[in-house]
């Protein structure tokens, strides 16, 4: 047998055709279209011949999985929100040049924060804690992370995600994004928010249930009074309110009221 045409195609003495392995993205055939054309000519002992034109077509294969590059660590204060979608999308690459088809991401625990994205570019969706969601690239670009309130210390978490390329032979790659959560300075709390106390005239002692102040971060608190009657009242280092001096009931009533009012302000410094 005799072969003419693209030299990467060979034929054995028994007429079996073979083609050396080819790179679809870098075709070497004469027309540079991944169609390798040859003409096979067979001759018998009597000199008789027969010819056949043969085309061997090379089809594309998915040469490799996409790559999830490194995502630089981000940081966020508790209760604050950061955009993370672009950083995740930018970590995608593919050796075949295939487009990104799907981003699969897992939401953090509720104690760490919440993950949201825009569906159809309009509707804010919250991913349930610990749940996994598949997003197209447009949705993934809108991903945001909001750190939980009430952190008692700084901590680091990692968001895990997968990339899938957009081919019939889809392959995946896994990546992660570290996020450092910074504990904020939480405001003091008080319970109940309003109290009514009683005092006998001419006495500085008061009776009734006092408000209880606390600080979520364990910070020491200092107290002060504001309001029209603040000068007539006192507050000690524990937030307990009293009277600066005994009051004359009749004089207060003549002035229009026998009720003194002030606001206790607790500060953690």
């Amino acid at each position: 047998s005799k072969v003419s045409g693209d030299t990467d195609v060979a034929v054995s003495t028994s007429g079996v055709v073979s083609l050396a392995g080819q790179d679809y993205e870098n075709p070497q055939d004469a027309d540079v279209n991944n169609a390798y054309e040859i003409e096979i000519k067979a001759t018998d002992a009597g000199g008789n011949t027969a010819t056949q034109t043969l085309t061997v077509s090379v089809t594309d294969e998915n040469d490799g999985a996409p790559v999830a590059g490194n995502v630089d660590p981000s940081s966020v204060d508790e209760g604050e929100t950061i955009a993370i979608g672009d950083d995740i999308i930018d970590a995608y690459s593919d050796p075949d040049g295939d487009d990104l088809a799907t981003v699969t991401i897992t939401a953090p625990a509720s104690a760490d924060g919440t993950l949201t994205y825009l569906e159809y570019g309009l509707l804010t969706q919250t991913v349930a804690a610990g749940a996994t969601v598949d997003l197209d690239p447009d949705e993934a670009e809108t991903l945001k992370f909001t750190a939980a309130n009430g952190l008692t210390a700084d901590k680091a978490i990692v968001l895990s995600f997968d990339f899938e390329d957009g081919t019939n032979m889809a392959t995946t790659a896994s990546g992660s994004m570290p996020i450092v959560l910074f504990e904020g300075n939480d405001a003091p709390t008080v319970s109940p928010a309003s109290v009514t106390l009683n005092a006998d005239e001419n006495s500085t002692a008061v009776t009734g249930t006092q408000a209880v102040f606390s600080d979520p971060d364990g910070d020491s608190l200092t107290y002060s009074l504001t309001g029209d009657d603040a000068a007539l009242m006192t507050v000690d280092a524990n937030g307990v309110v009293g009277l600066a001096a005994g009051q004359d009931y009749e004089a207060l009533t003549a002035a229009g009221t026998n009720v003194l009012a002030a606001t206790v302000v607790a500060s953690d410094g």
Side-chain angles (χ1 to χ4, degrees), residues 220-236:
S220 297
L221 299 177
T222 58
Y223 302 92
S224 60
L225 291 167
T226 64
D228 293 341
D229 300 319
L232 302 178
M233 304 169 73
T234 63
V235 61
D236 67 14

Side-chain angles (χ1 to χ4, degrees), residues 95-138:
D96 304 317
D98 296 329
D99 292 333
L100 173 63
T102 305
V103 177
T104 301
I105 189 165
T106 302
S110 58
D112 297 331
T114 56
L115 194 66
T116 61
Y117 67 95
L118 288 181
E119 187 176 32
Y120 310 120
L122 297 172
L123 304 175
T124 298
Q125 301 290 350
T126 300
V127 185
T132 297
V133 63
D134 295 332
L135 305 176
D136 64 38
D138 289 339

Side-chain angles (χ1 to χ4, degrees), residues 4-257:
S4 60
D6 285 309
T7 57
D8 290 302
V9 183
V11 61
S12 69
T13 55
S14 59
V16 176
V17 176
S18 61
L19 173 67
Q22 301 295 314
D23 183 353
Y24 182 87
E25 285 73 27
N26 185 30
Q28 299 298 309
D29 60 295
D31 296 326
V32 197
N33 63 355
N34 282 302
Y36 294 79
E37 299 178 358
I38 60 170
E39 184 180 86
I40 302 173
K41 183 177 183 179
T43 305
D44 62 13
N48 300 307
T49 63
T51 60
Q52 180 187 43
T53 299
L54 180 68
T55 300
V56 179
S57 297
V58 175
T59 57
D60 191 17
E61 290 287 335
N62 200 350
D63 295 330
V67 176
N70 294 326
V71 179
D72 292 334
S74 294
S75 61
V76 59
D77 293 331
E78 66 172 291
E80 297 297 318
T81 300
I82 56 172
I84 62 173
D86 284 341
D87 289 339
I88 292 175
I89 295 293
D90 288 346
Y92 174 82
S93 61
D94 189 276
D96 304 317
D98 296 329
D99 292 333
L100 173 63
T102 305
V103 177
T104 301
I105 189 165
T106 302
S110 58
D112 297 331
T114 56
L115 194 66
T116 61
Y117 67 95
L118 288 181
E119 187 176 32
Y120 310 120
L122 297 172
L123 304 175
T124 298
Q125 301 290 350
T126 300
V127 185
T132 297
V133 63
D134 295 332
L135 305 176
D136 64 38
D138 289 339
E139 292 172 329
E141 282 184 341
T142 68
L143 279 166
K144 292 183 179 181
F145 172 77
T146 301
N149 282 306
L151 297 176
T152 57
D154 298 343
K155 67 182 300 185
I157 66 170
V158 175
L159 297 181
S160 299
F161 56 86
D162 293 327
F163 290 140
E164 183 177 293
D165 59 13
T167 68
N168 293 330
M169 300 159 286
T171 52
T172 61
S174 298
S176 60
M177 181 177 188
I179 301 178
V180 178
L181 313 181
F182 290 122
E183 177 196 7
N185 185 18
D186 296 310
T189 61
V190 60
S191 180
S194 178
V195 298
T196 299
L197 305 174
N198 299 295
D200 293 333
E201 68 173 326
N202 301 316
S203 172
T204 59
V206 298
T207 59
T209 302
Q210 298 266 354
V212 177
F213 294 85
S214 62
D215 188 88
D217 304 315
D219 297 330
S220 297
L221 299 177
T222 58
Y223 302 92
S224 60
L225 291 167
T226 64
D228 293 341
D229 300 319
L232 302 178
M233 304 169 73
T234 63
V235 61
D236 67 14
N238 295 312
V240 176
V241 174
L243 290 176
Q247 299 296 312
D248 185 330
Y249 179 86
E250 287 74 21
L252 288 174
T253 301
T257 181

